[in-house]
Amino acid sequence: LPFTVLMFAVIETSVSFAAQQLMSNVTDDVARSMRTAKIKPADINDTKLRDLICDRIDLLTPASCPELVFDLKSYPTYSAVPIKIKYLASGDVDTTGFTTELGGAGSIQALRVFYRWPIMTDFMRGRLSTLPDGKTLLYASMIWQNEPYY
């Protein structure tokens, strides 16, 4: 029994870590596409950004990524980018004010991506979950300045 519990703990932690790493890589790739004008401000909205992210993490998530939330905003300076994340009392991220706003050439952007990742094994749920529904919140962010050739 201890060996089985240990194996499930290792597998659960490994899969969760892989999901976090994949989400970080996807956030970086999407940000790079925006930074280099492969994706232009007129080409992006909530649905398109969700599809861009979800299509790249579809190995780990159900279709349409129902647990995915994101925030893409422009800022006048790097110091204006918030460094704290607002959370609800439940521990979930506060999505109030989340938008999809891609600026033009030279604008400073911040993309924050959150995914409510389900903990698969019952006995690990109580130890790994950070949300009341037995999920944990994965998070990735990228801050950049758009290239000047938009």
Side-chain angles (χ1 to χ4, degrees):
L1 183 63
F3 178 74
T4 305
V5 170
L6 180 64
M7 289 308 299
F8 275 109
V10 168
I11 291 169
E12 186 79 56
T13 305
S14 298
V15 170
S16 183
F17 178 77
Q20 173 65 51
Q21 189 62 42
L22 177 62
M23 199 170 79
S24 293
N25 291 342
V26 167
T27 302
D28 185 45
D29 289 345
V30 170
R32 183 180 305 114
S33 295
M34 292 178 197
R35 180 176 61 240
T36 59
K38 184 176 179 184
I39 299 171
K40 295 183 175 20
D43 299 336
I44 199 76
N45 59 34
D46 283 347
T47 304
K48 289 180 183 176
L49 183 55
R50 175 176 294 283
D51 291 345
L52 278 171
I53 296 169
C54 192
D55 288 347
R56 289 179 168 102
I57 61 172
D58 66 350
L59 292 174
L60 300 173
T61 61
S64 79
C65 303
E67 300 295 336
L68 178 72
V69 291
F70 49 83
D71 185 30
L72 172 64
K73 288 186 181 157
S74 294
Y75 295 93
T77 63
Y78 282 107
S79 61
V81 177
I83 57 172
K84 293 190 177 185
I85 300 168
K86 294 180 186 173
Y87 292 98
L88 302 172
S90 66
D92 200 358
V93 66
D94 183 1
T95 60
T96 306
F98 278 19
T99 63
T100 303
E101 170 194 318
L102 180 58
S107 65
I108 296 169
Q109 301 290 146
L111 174 62
R112 300 183 302 166
V113 180
F114 301 88
Y115 194 86
R116 296 173 190 100
W117 181 258
I119 305 300
M120 296 176 276
T121 52
D122 286 338
F123 62 89
M124 292 301 297
R125 196 168 290 134
R127 289 169 177 68
L128 293 177
S129 65
T130 57
L131 301 174
D133 59 355
K135 297 178 181 176
T136 190
L137 193 62
L138 302 181
Y139 166 68
S141 69
M142 182 60 61
I143 301 169
W144 73 93
Q145 184 171 11
N146 286 337
E147 297 291 336
Y149 53 85
Y150 256 79

